[in-house]
Amino acid sequence: MDYKELIKEAFDAQKNSYSPYSSCKVGAALLCKDGRIYKGCNIENASFSLTNCAERTALFKAVSEGERGFEAIAVVGNNGQDELFFPCGACRQALSEFCGKDFKIIVAKCVDEYKVLTLGELLPFSFDKEVVYEKDC
Ligand code: THU
């Protein structure tokens, strides 16, 4: 799938951002190996730590619908700054449960200005299920 299409879906998801506390609107679109796309936005809460990021909203929607194979995620966000918006550490870790090192993370300012990175680049030396269950520790 064309990354530009996935970025457009992420911008569409961003419209539903519930972010009254930070005013930082984030959208994500997760492409599954079967071609389906799951969209997510950030959902804040008066009890700040309960906030759910856009990437995890998309991931949890997909996993809860039975999806297990993932190709790529597009992420867009802003807090008034014209910068690329990178997934936080918690989202990188959540993605690593289901996505391999070559899973693509597309961070975009707009459909024509984006960067493609891999999960391996954004989360090197990750703590994952191989570490927990397949090694003596
Ligand atoms: N946020 C995301 O949606 N994704 C990230 O990867 C980092 C942060 C949201 C959470 C919160 O609603 C706002 O951005 C400011 O932290």
Side-chain angles (χ1 to χ4, degrees), residues 18 21 42-53 56-57:
Y18 177 75
Y21 305 104
N42 55 330
I43 305 167
E44 299 189 343
N45 191 279
S47 173
F48 294 166
S49 62
L50 291 181
T51 291
N52 206 59
C53 292
R56 277 178 289 145
T57 302

Side-chain angles (χ1 to χ4, degrees), residues 95-106:
L95 287 165
S96 81
E97 185 68 24
F98 297 97
C99 309
K101 297 274 178 215
D102 60 351
F103 174 80
K104 303 288 186 301
I105 297 175
I106 302 129

